[in-house]
Amino acid sequence: MEERVRSFNKLPRPKQTPSGLPNHWVFGVCHVDLHPPGDLVLAVQPQSSYLLQGGPAQILSLGTGPDKAEAIIPCLLDAFITGGALNPMARQPTDPPPFAPWTWSTLDPEIAEAVQDGLRNHGIRPELCQVGICSAEERDILETARARIFEMLLPAVDHDLPTTVDQGDSTRCHGCGMSRESFFQPLKKCARCNKAFYHSKECQKKHWKQHKPACLPLGNVPDLDAYTYYNSRARADPAAQALMRSLNLGPPPPHGGIALPLRRLVVTGQDTSENMQLLFGPQWERHIKEDHETARIECLLNPPPGSPSHVMNAWMDDGSLIPSPRPATEAEQQRVKKVKEMQALIQRRIGVGKSPSSGDMQAILANFGANWSTELATYTLAKNTMDQGVPSGGYRA
C-alpha cells in the first residue's frame, strides 16, 4: 500500500484534463458476476464520460463503511495510477499519461466519509482527502458508464445467473438476473404489479413477454393511456369532476386533449400524485411523466412575453387561476439553472429578442463536444422559454 500511495502522490494533478475539461471525477462500486464474482471501482469524468476502473475486489460484502473504504482505496488509487487499464501493458501510445484528479465525489455519504478518513490515514495528499457527494445527474452518468463496461465484460460474466427471479424479490433485476449491487441506480418496480424489479426500461421491455402472465393487475385493470383515461374514466369519476371544477375546466369535451388540465394542475401546485391519478389514471407516470416534468420546469422558468412557451400557454393561463406552483425540488433547481446557463449561451451568440437559427444551434451545441446530443433537450427548452420577439398570437395551440 505504501508504494501505491507514493506512486499516486507523485502523479501530476492538473485543474483541467488534457482535453480542457474540469478534472473532476465521480466514483462508485458495483458488483459483477465474474469468475469468481467480485466488485469493480469505477471512476468517470462526467463531462467526457471517460472511464477508469480498478479491481475486481471483495468490497460490497464487507460489513462496515471503514472496511469497505479500506478495500475501495487501493482499487481507486490503482485506477488513476494505471490510467484505468486492468493490464498497464495494454495502454496505447495515444492514451493520456496518468494523472490524479483535482476533485472527486461518490454516491454514498457514509462511504465518502469513510474514504476521506482512509485517504488521510494512508498519507494521500491533503487536498484530495475531501470526497464530495455526486449529483443525481452524475449518478446517471456513472450508471451509463457502468452499462458500457458491462457490455465489454459480457463474455466473462457468469451466464449461470437465475433466468427466473421470484415475484417480489427486490434483490435482483427480474430481466437480466443481476443483483441490485451491480447497478448505481436503485431497481425500479413494475408500475402495474409492483412485484417485479428492473434496472432499466430497456431490460423491462425485453422481459415483458415473460413477465406479462404474472403481472397481476392486467386481468382486471386495463392499461389506459393518459389521454384515454382523461376522456373516459375521469369523466365519470365524481372526485375527478370536482378537481376539474376547481381548475375551472368543467367536464372534458369529447376527445379533449390533456395539455390544458396538466398545465393547470402544475400552475396551481395541485399536481400531486393523487390528483394526477384522478385525471390521468394509475399509469400516468408511465405515459406522461416526461410531459409533467417539462411542464414543471416551464412553469418554474416563468417564460417571458415574446417566448414561444409564453405565447403557446397564453390560452391555458386565462387569468382565472392564481399561479402557485409547488417549490422546485433540488433536481429541478439544478435543471432550471442548466436551462438558464444555456439561455445565456444563446443570447451571447445572437443577442436578446432574436430567434436562433439551426446554424446557431449547431454552433452552441458544438461547445459540448461529443456529448452535444445529451444537451439537445436542454437547448430546446432554453430556446422555447426565452424572449425571441414572438408576437402574441404567433403560435396556435
Side-chain angles (χ1 to χ4, degrees):
M1 188 63 182
E2 290 181 4
E3 181 56 36
R4 271 196 188 97
V5 171
R6 280 195 294 270
S7 298
F8 181 80
N9 283 339
K10 288 179 182 178
L11 291 176
R13 182 174 168 257
K15 196 168 184 177
Q16 295 181 317
T17 66
S19 59
L21 297 172
N23 186 15
H24 172 70
W25 296 77
V26 180
F27 66 86
V29 183
C30 60
H31 181 76
V32 61
D33 292 286
L34 294 167
H35 297 284
D39 306 313
L40 291 178
V41 176
L42 303 184
V44 64
Q45 198 282 331
Q47 289 184 294
S48 67
S49 296
Y50 191 80
L51 179 68
L52 305 177
Q53 62 188 48
Q58 296 303 313
I59 300 172
L60 295 173
S61 59
L62 299 176
T64 68
D67 287 342
K68 291 176 182 176
E70 280 303 296
I72 289 170
I73 289 171
C75 298
L76 186 61
L77 300 187
D78 285 346
F80 285 93
I81 292 168
T82 66
L86 292 176
N87 176 9
M89 300 302 293
R91 287 181 54 80
Q92 300 298 315
T94 55
D95 292 339
F99 55 89
W102 184 259
T103 55
W104 49 17
S105 61
T106 191
L107 299 82
D108 185 330
E110 180 186 3
I111 292 299
E113 184 177 356
V115 170
Q116 284 180 166
D117 293 341
L119 293 171
R120 194 175 296 114
N121 293 338
H122 285 298
I124 294 298
R125 55 179 78 180
E127 58 271 25
L128 275 176
C129 292
Q130 181 68 36
V131 180
I133 306 301
C134 70
S135 67
E137 184 178 12
E138 288 174 332
R139 180 189 285 266
D140 290 342
I141 293 170
L142 189 57
E143 172 60 22
T144 300
R146 179 213 62 78
R148 192 170 74 242
I149 198 169
F150 270 41
E151 282 187 18
M152 296 168 56
L153 292 173
L154 190 60
V157 169
D158 188 353
H159 291 286
D160 294 328
L161 290 170
T163 54
T164 302
V165 181
D166 292 337
Q167 287 282 85
D169 183 354
S170 63
T171 66
R172 288 187 174 273
C173 174
H174 289 216
C176 62
M178 290 197 293
S179 69
R180 62 187 174 195
E181 288 84 7
S182 300
F183 312 102
F184 292 121
Q185 296 281 19
L187 299 180
K188 297 177 178 62
K189 289 182 182 180
C190 170
R192 290 187 177 87
C193 67
N194 291 323
K195 292 186 177 181
F197 297 80
Y198 298 95
H199 79 272
S200 69
K201 290 183 179 179
E202 291 73 21
C203 201
Q204 183 178 16
K205 288 178 181 177
K206 290 179 181 177
H207 187 244
W208 173 237
K209 287 185 179 179
Q210 290 75 30
H211 176 56
K212 184 176 180 179
C215 198
L216 298 179
L218 283 180
N220 48 31
V221 179
D223 178 21
L224 301 178
D225 62 80
Y227 174 88
T228 303
Y229 191 97
Y230 180 69
N231 284 285
S232 58
R233 297 296 181 87
R235 291 168 62 91
D237 185 334
Q241 291 294 320
L243 177 58
M244 292 178 196
R245 287 193 295 271
S246 75
L247 298 170
N248 291 335
L249 290 171
H255 311 299
I258 64 172
L260 179 59
L262 177 58
R263 171 75 180 176
R264 292 197 174 177
L265 282 172
V266 169
V267 167
T268 59
Q270 297 186 71
D271 54 328
T272 62
S273 180
E274 293 78 12
N275 285 343
M276 295 291 285
Q277 288 188 46
L278 271 178
L279 295 194
F280 306 123
Q283 307 298 331
W284 73 269
E285 284 192 286
R286 180 169 177 260
H287 297 292
I288 61 168
K289 183 179 179 182
E290 289 186 9
D291 294 331
H292 176 236
E293 291 172 348
T294 300
R296 283 274 301 157
I297 298 300
E298 270 198 9
C299 186
L300 293 168
L301 285 165
N302 191 21
S307 65
S309 291
H310 183 276
V311 175
M312 292 180 72
N313 291 331
W315 70 280
M316 293 186 279
D317 301 336
D318 61 1
S320 62
L321 300 170
I322 299 174
S324 53
R326 292 183 293 108
T329 64
E330 183 177 347
E332 287 173 335
Q333 289 174 358
Q334 292 298 316
R335 191 167 182 205
V336 167
K337 179 183 177 183
K338 192 172 181 181
V339 170
K340 289 183 176 179
E341 289 171 349
M342 182 69 78
Q343 288 176 339
L345 281 177
I346 297 172
Q347 288 177 342
R348 279 200 295 271
R349 179 174 175 85
I350 67 171
V352 179
K354 297 179 181 178
S355 179
S357 66
S358 59
D360 293 323
M361 179 185 74
Q362 293 174 10
I364 290 165
L365 292 178
N367 291 317
F368 299 94
N371 291 324
W372 70 268
S373 61
T374 63
E375 303 297 326
L376 187 56
T378 300
Y379 175 87
T380 301
L381 188 55
K383 180 189 67 162
N384 288 339
T385 55
M386 63 186 289
D387 180 9
Q388 297 183 40
V390 180
S392 178
Y395 277 71
R396 290 185 178 273

